[in-house]
Amino acid sequence: MKAIVISRLGGPEVLEVRDMPEPAAGAGQVLVQVEAGGLNFADFMTASGGYPGTPKPPLIAGREFCGVTPSDGRRVMGYMQWAAFAERVAASTQLLWPVPQAWSAEEGAAFPVNYFTAYCAYWKAGLLTPAKAARPRVLIHAAAGGVGTAAVQIGKLLGMEMYGTSSSDEKLTRVAELGLQHGINYKHHDYEEVIRDLTHGEGVDAVFEMLGGEHTNKSARCLRDFGRVVVYGAATGEKSTLDPRLLYAKGGSVHGLWLTYLSANRELMSEAWKQLSAWTSQGHLHPVIGQVFSMAKAADAYRLLGEGKNFGKVVLQIS
Ligand SMILES: NC(=O)c1ccc[n+]([C@@H]2O[C@H](COP(=O)([O-])OP(=O)(O)OC[C@H]3O[C@@H](n4cnc5c(N)ncnc54)[C@H](OP(=O)(O)O)[C@@H]3O)[C@@H](O)[C@H]2O)c1
């Protein structure tokens, strides 16, 4: 079968389409004929050697996919740690979900990581069942990205007042159409100052922080009393710095989120799917696909994501 292989550690140039051995489904697994794969920032980091727990190359890239189970023709979307960008995968039945009717394979492939991560961010922020009295405020970094657009769609359903950052006015205009009320172009404005002004000095209830470096402290400074920073990435490539004194000040807290780890928690994943599938069946969630690439152009897809030029999800067609 054909697969996208990380031939050695490095940039997008290390990706190769190769013939690889067919996978065999083990206990608790099922074979899936893959049609599309969703590209994640984690895939970019895996190729360059910066993602924890990944085997050494050569290995098949990819952590989410959409396809059909040949045994019974079910359309499914799934999540794994690597080996998703191949014509066939052996997928865990625990991390495989039915594709909502009328969704394309590309939309299915754009769902698992973004929506489970965004759901878990609201869960970690304690905002899934917000108090009725006040409209909770959330600051979403990279609001125009894969997880970001999912967080905006979910935030709209939860009744959030949302503030989102991006490097581009054009991207912010498109996220506004998804329900983002306050777009902040961080190339032109300091988001900390904007949050202070827009919230009359009060701050936000939660920040979804995936930038790392100085942004964890800056995000903590955006909190209101008892607010939470949910840290879940370091797209700047810089290790987070955190001054705990910022948390003492307002009784704030910092929470970690890693889907790789949380996906092993059956109760949490099943609760998340119960809510996410209800929203999708009511037509409320729509994976945002920015760009679609063929397998042969996988390196271009990685490049686009690494340069932060994507809008929503970058998807690979697997065939
Ligand atoms: N912990 C978890 O379980 C988990 C799960 C999924 C994703 N993540 C993390 O969440 C983040 C977003 O992932 P994603 O796959 O949805 O990617 P993405 O948001 O679609 O793409 C990354 C975006 O980050 C923004 N960005 C800001 N500073 C950047 C920089 N220095 N370099 C590159 N991009 C920068 C860019 O948007 P603008 O140009 O609009 O600023 C870019 O489009 C990543 O850090 C990823 O590792 C974590």
Side-chain angles (χ1 to χ4, degrees):
M1 64 166 188
K2 274 197 295 179
I4 296 172
V5 172
I6 300 169
S7 58
R8 60 192 188 284
L9 294 184
E13 72 284 353
V14 305
L15 299 165
E16 291 175 10
V17 179
R18 283 190 190 172
D19 280 322
M20 295 296 282
E22 293 283 339
Q29 291 183 322
V30 65
L31 273 184
V32 178
Q33 176 77 33
V34 176
E35 295 169 353
L39 187 61
N40 287 284
F41 209 78
D43 297 313
F44 187 81
M45 291 161 71
T46 301
S48 60
Y51 206 81
T54 317
K56 284 187 182 148
L59 88 154
I60 301 177
R63 50 188 59 229
E64 63 184 333
F65 59 88
C66 182
V68 175
T69 49
S71 52
D72 54 11
R74 275 183 310 138
R75 297 184 71 229
V76 289
M77 51 195 186
Y79 173 63
M80 56 208 296
Q81 293 307 308
W82 58 86
F85 297 161
E87 287 180 309
R88 274 159 300 278
V89 299
S92 160
T93 53
Q94 294 295 327
L95 298 173
L96 205 59
W97 305 276
V99 181
Q101 267 190 354
W103 278 16
S104 64
E106 287 78 14
E107 288 170 306
F111 185 86
V113 173
N114 290 348
Y115 286 86
F116 279 102
T117 303
Y119 176 92
C120 287
Y122 284 103
W123 170 64
K124 291 249 79 171
L127 293 176
L128 283 178
T129 48
K132 295 263 185 308
R135 190 173 172 86
R137 299 175 185 142
V138 59
L139 168 60
I140 302 167
H141 286 302
V147 176
T149 51
V152 169
Q153 289 182 8
I154 293 176
K156 185 178 174 188
L157 292 165
L158 293 172
M160 301 287 144
E161 190 73 20
M162 295 178 282
Y163 306 78
T165 65
S166 171
S167 63
S168 134
D169 287 340
E170 192 194 328
K171 287 193 199 178
L172 286 170
T173 304
R174 293 173 73 182
V175 205
E177 287 161 18
L178 300 176
L180 179 74
Q181 296 97 336
H182 311 279
I184 307 168
N185 184 328
Y186 61 82
K187 294 272 183 198
H188 301 140
H189 304 281
D190 178 343
Y191 63 82
E192 201 184 320
E193 282 174 19
V194 178
I195 292 291
R196 197 182 310 124
D197 291 347
L198 289 177
T199 64
H200 316 291
E202 288 173 5
V204 296
D205 296 277
V207 185
F208 298 167
E209 204 290 88
M210 39 51 75
L211 294 163
E214 58 162 349
H215 294 284
T216 316
N217 277 344
K218 270 181 86 62
S219 297
R221 284 195 290 268
C222 291
L223 293 179
R224 78 187 328 175
D225 285 356
F226 315 133
R228 302 182 190 186
V229 178
V230 178
V231 286
Y232 71 104
T236 58
E238 289 166 27
K239 208 169 158 189
S240 278
T241 52
L242 177 66
D243 180 351
R245 287 173 299 185
L246 296 170
L247 304 177
Y248 304 155
K250 293 185 175 175
S253 53
V254 174
H255 296 244
L257 189 176
W258 191 24
L259 190 62
T260 299
Y261 184 74
L262 295 180
S263 63
N265 185 316
R266 287 189 187 186
E267 199 182 332
L268 172 66
M269 292 301 279
S270 128
E271 271 303 302
W273 175 244
K274 202 166 129 194
Q275 178 62 82
L276 291 171
S277 58
W279 280 329
T280 48
S281 63
Q282 291 155 11
H284 293 315
L285 298 180
H286 303 278
V288 176
I289 296 167
Q291 293 90 355
V292 180
F293 290 82
S294 66
M295 279 178 104
K297 298 277 184 196
D300 291 343
Y302 274 63
R303 224 165 265 126
L304 185 100
L305 191 67
E307 289 168 0
K309 291 189 178 149
N310 62 302
F311 179 76
K313 194 78 172 181
V314 179
V315 176
L316 298 171
Q317 284 172 330
I318 307 292
S319 59

